[in-house]
DNA sequence: TGTACTTAAGTTTTT
DNA sequence: CTTAAGTACA
């Protein structure tokens, strides 16, 4: 039997072999967190302290769950199939399916993803004639989710004013509607499970006795409800092994509460806090940079990463004139590294927001570099796929109004807004769902005939769902619904048709795995009461749940060596030899929207910390003087996070053709990069006539001090700088010309319009 | 009702 | 720049 414990450092060993009591593991980035977690599980099983069935392990992403299972089966000769390892949402789904009756849910309940939820909210708001100005659907959606994540039903929410009262009332209506339709949103999965267990003592005791060991990954990302959920599951006798890193808490926007770490220490009487501070991933300079940045945060539990490795290379910093140049630079460096032997898959391009990927993709495509984008438009979120899934959902559950209204007239079959309105009225006045209203003949005339046509399709699919295998059903749906024909006839519909075919493949794959029992959604043996619905219908329900919960972490084409593109958020937990972090501009990273929230900057800084610590050997930080946003150039200054990195860790990169004018006297930024703004043309960004660049390794480098004076952001009133004028108030610099005493800046004031001001006379102060 | 056109608005991050 | 929503017409 392999020795699980060999090779662990003393802290890791201590964590893995802790006695049966609750513990908190503060695991820094790259400190072997996943290894500790999986080894702990393996150790518990190997020493007979726990059986595989007695372990509950919770992660935040499906990827992390899979990773854990893979590593476990490599460590132990056990079948991991029956183990409860998954995301909060996945595990809750499993519990609710198994006990749907106790949870007052139909066995084939559907899961709404964020988009589905939003359209339901919109539909309801419209039906109630809510003023969209005052009650924006997104705001209502956020309100509902926040309430649920705090564990509050509508009747438990305290409303101090009329506005809130109205939202609470809407929340109640929303929940009622979900119940009528038999659908469940993400937050509901958790809340419903929590209520199920807290109301059903038998069930609770059953699971508490079963799961004697609970392990939680990324504990800093748990929200209030998830924490309550863990506490409930653990009971008084449970043993919770929580692993987390407060410095990597980056999901506050969706309710994550780092405070849970302190509550955990208190509530569980934790005596053992183990700090894992030795980093096995990054070389010295990278780690020093990360430490320096995160040290600026005040609210920390305190932890300092160190490495036994050498310093390695300095961080490379590149200031591009614009986003295109930034992309070109990145592509050239990637090429060079690739030539030198780094696999594409060992390199990553990270960015703050998904919108930044487009221009990178464009440059990569032109350069013929294989790349893979994670996140962004996910497979299961594409329009055509959502339509297809909606047909399947109608087949699984005719009362699913969201699905019904999505496809009742798609492809167009002559059912207009008026008819749908009539259906909604009929449904609201007692008939229940849209489908029931339709069957009852709520719409007469032409619309009624068309609706009958749709009902026929729905009924045909429902019948088919009883007997056909999943892929067969999908095929049948694609033709019966007319979706395939519709997109095939569309001008640019080829991609969509291909995606629909891809859906058949996905169904085939899912079906095979389900039959083998890999997919944990269909719980086995003791936990499942005999349920209605044929086997095929259960496969369908599992597939639909899968589509919602796993929005398509599409695996890269197998074996393909491809450059990795993703947001910093989705990079958490991953590591690469070389990392390019782009868009390091104020307003983008840290993002503007974070500035107003309290604690926002610290959260952004943690995000920066996560980004830096993804790199093993080489880290590039780039930013652009101007960037296209909403079709308009937007001028940026370097992110404060770059400034927080000690200069001696950095090497500034200057393109060869720029050396001539990158001197302290004459600024590279005096080039009319934004001159086109007032003139109307944009000759610069087209980049025509630019000489081919030398190889990446021939870049000249400038010591930071001398280069700094030539950066626009060193100018006190550089493009993009926020300024205050005694008379005109606050504004932003959008252009400037001249130098020294002659310098004039153009400022767009918040209230006074745009003005040219001579620096010598105008009383401008940085704001 | 459906299509074609114009206009407005939007993008932080995700289970 | 892209998408959603709004308007005019067949």
């Amino acid at each position: 039997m392999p020795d699980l414990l060999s090779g662990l450092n003393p802290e890791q060993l201590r964590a893995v072999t802790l006695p049966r009591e609750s513990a908190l593991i503060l695991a820094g980035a790259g400190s072997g967190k996943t290894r500790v977690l999986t080894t702990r599980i393996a150790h518990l099983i190997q020493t007979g302290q726990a059986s595989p069935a007695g372990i509950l392990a919770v992660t935040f992403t499906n990827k992390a769950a899979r990773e854990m299972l893979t590593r476990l089966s490599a460590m132990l000769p056990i079948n991991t199939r029956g183990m409860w390892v998954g995301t909060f949402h996945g595990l809750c789904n499993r519990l609710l399916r198994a006990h749907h009756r106790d949870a007052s849910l139909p066995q084939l309940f559907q899961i709404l993803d964020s988009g589905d939820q939003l359209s339901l909210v919109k539909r309801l708001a419209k039906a109630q004639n809510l003023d969209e100005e005052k009650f924006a659907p997104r705001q209502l959606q956020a309100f509902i989710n926040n309430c649920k994540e705090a564990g509050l039903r509508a009747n438990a929410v305290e409303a101090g004013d009329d506005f809130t009262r109205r939202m609470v009332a809407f929340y109640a209506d929303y929940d009622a509607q979900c119940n009528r339709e038999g659908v469940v949103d993400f937050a509901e999965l958790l809340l419903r499970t929590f209520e199920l267990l807290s109301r059903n003592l038998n069930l609770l005791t059953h699971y508490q006795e079963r799961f004697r060991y609970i392990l939680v990954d990324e504990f800093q990302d748990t929200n209030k409800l998830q924490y309550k959920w863990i506490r409930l599951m653990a009971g008084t006798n449970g043993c919770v092994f929580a692993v987390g890193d407060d410095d990597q808490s980056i999901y506050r926007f969706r309710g994550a509460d780092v405070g849970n770490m302190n509550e955990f220490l208190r509530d569980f009487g934790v005596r053992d806090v183990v700090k894992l501070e030795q980093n096995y991933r990054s070389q010295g300079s990278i780690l020093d940079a990360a430490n320096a940045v995160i040290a600026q945060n005040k609210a920390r539990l305190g932890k300092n990463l160190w490495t036994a490795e050498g310093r390695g290379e300095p961080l490379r910093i590149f200031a591009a004139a614009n986003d295109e140049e930034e992309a070109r630079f990145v592509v050239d460096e990637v090429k060079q590294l690739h030539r030198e032997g780094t696999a594409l898959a060992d390199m990553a391009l990270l960015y703050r927001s998904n919108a930044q990927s487009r221009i990178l993709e464009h440059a990569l495509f032109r350069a013929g570099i294989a790349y893979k984008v994670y996140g962004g438009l996910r497979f299961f979120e594409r329009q055509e796929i959502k339509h297809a899934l909606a047909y399947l959902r109608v087949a699984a559950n005719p009362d699913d109004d969201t699905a019904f209204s999505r496809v009742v007239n798609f492809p167009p079959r002559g059912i207009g807004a008026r008819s749908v309105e009539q259906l909604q009225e009929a449904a609201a006045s007692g008939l229940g769902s849209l489908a029931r209203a339709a069957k009852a003949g709520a719409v007469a005339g032409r619309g009624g005939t068309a609706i009958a046509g749709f009902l026929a399709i729905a009924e045909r699919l429902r019948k088919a769902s009883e007997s056909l295998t999943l892929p067969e059903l999908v095929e049948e749906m694609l033709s019966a619904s007319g979706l395939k024909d519709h997109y095939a006839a569309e001008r640019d519909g080829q991609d969509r048709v291909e995606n629909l075919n891809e859906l058949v493949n996905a169904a085939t794959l899912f079906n095979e795995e389900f039959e083998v029992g890999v997919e944990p959604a269909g719980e086995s043996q003791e936990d499942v009461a005999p349920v209605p619905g044929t086997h095929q219908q259960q496969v369908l329900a599992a597939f639909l749940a899968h589509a919602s919960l796993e929005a398509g972490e599409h695996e890269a084409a197998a074996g393909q060596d491809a450059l990795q593109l993703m947001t910093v958020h989705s990079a958490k937990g991953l590591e690469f030899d070389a990392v390019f972090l782009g868009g390091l501009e104020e307003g983008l990273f840290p993002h503007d929207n974070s500035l107003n929230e309290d604690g926002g900057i610290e959260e952004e800084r943690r995000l920066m910390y996560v980004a830096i610590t993804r790199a093993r050997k080489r880290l590039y930080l780039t930013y652009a003087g101007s960037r296209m946003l909403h079709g308009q150039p937007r001028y940026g200054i370097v992110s404060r996070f770059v400034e927080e990195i000690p200069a001696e860790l950095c090497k500034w990169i200057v393109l060869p053709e720029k050396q001539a004018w990158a001197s302290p006297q004459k600024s590279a930024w005096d080039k009319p990069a934004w001159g086109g703004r007032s003139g109307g043309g944009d000759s610069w960004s087209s980049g025509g006539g630019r000489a081919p660049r030398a190889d990446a390794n021939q870049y000249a480098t400038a010591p930071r001090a001398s280069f700094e004076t030539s950066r626009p952001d060193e100018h006190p009133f550089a493009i993009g700088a926020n300024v205050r004028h005694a008379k005109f108030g606050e504004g932003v610099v959008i252009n400037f010309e001249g130098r020294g005493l002659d310098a004039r800046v153009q400022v767009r004031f918040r209230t006074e319009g745009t003005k040219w001001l001579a620096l010598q006379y105008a009383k401008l102060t940085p704001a």
Side-chain angles (χ1 to χ4, degrees), chain A residues 120-188:
Chain A
L120 173 52
V121 167
K122 277 183 183 164
R123 211 151 30 82
L124 263 178
K126 207 165 205 171
Q128 299 191 3
N129 285 319
L130 271 189
D131 179 5
E132 278 214 22
E133 298 279 294
K134 269 185 88 178
F135 301 91
R138 280 186 186 284
Q139 198 187 351
L140 290 167
Q141 182 186 25
F143 178 81
I144 291 171
N145 288 337
N146 287 338
C147 290
K148 290 192 179 183
E149 276 157 16
L152 299 173
R153 288 291 176 198
N155 58 25
V157 182
E158 287 182 33
D161 54 289
D162 277 350
F163 183 70
T164 315
R165 255 190 291 282
R166 189 70 200 80
M167 299 233 273
V168 172
F170 185 85
Y171 174 20
D173 295 339
Y174 166 87
D175 260 3
Q177 182 62 25
C178 286
N179 286 332
R180 268 196 296 277
E181 294 184 31
V183 296
V184 170
D185 60 51
F186 282 144
E188 182 71 24

Side-chain angles (χ1 to χ4, degrees), chain A residues 572-589:
Chain A
K572 189 159 77 144
L574 306 178
E575 56 182 86
F576 309 90
D577 282 339
V579 167
F580 295 81
L581 179 58
L584 283 166
E585 297 131 42
E586 284 292 304
L588 194 58
F589 197 177

Side-chain angles (χ1 to χ4, degrees), chain A residues 11-55:
Chain A
E11 289 75 31
Q12 291 175 332
L13 183 64
R14 185 160 159 249
V16 165
T17 57
L18 280 173
R20 192 182 180 281
E21 60 186 39
S22 292
L24 177 66
I25 316 299
L26 276 180
S31 64
K33 179 196 68 169
T34 311
R35 179 169 182 201
V36 164
L37 211 42
T38 45
T39 312
R40 165 88 178 165
I41 296 177
H43 177 73
L44 289 172
I45 294 174
Q46 197 182 46
T47 55
Q49 296 176 71
S51 71
I55 285 171

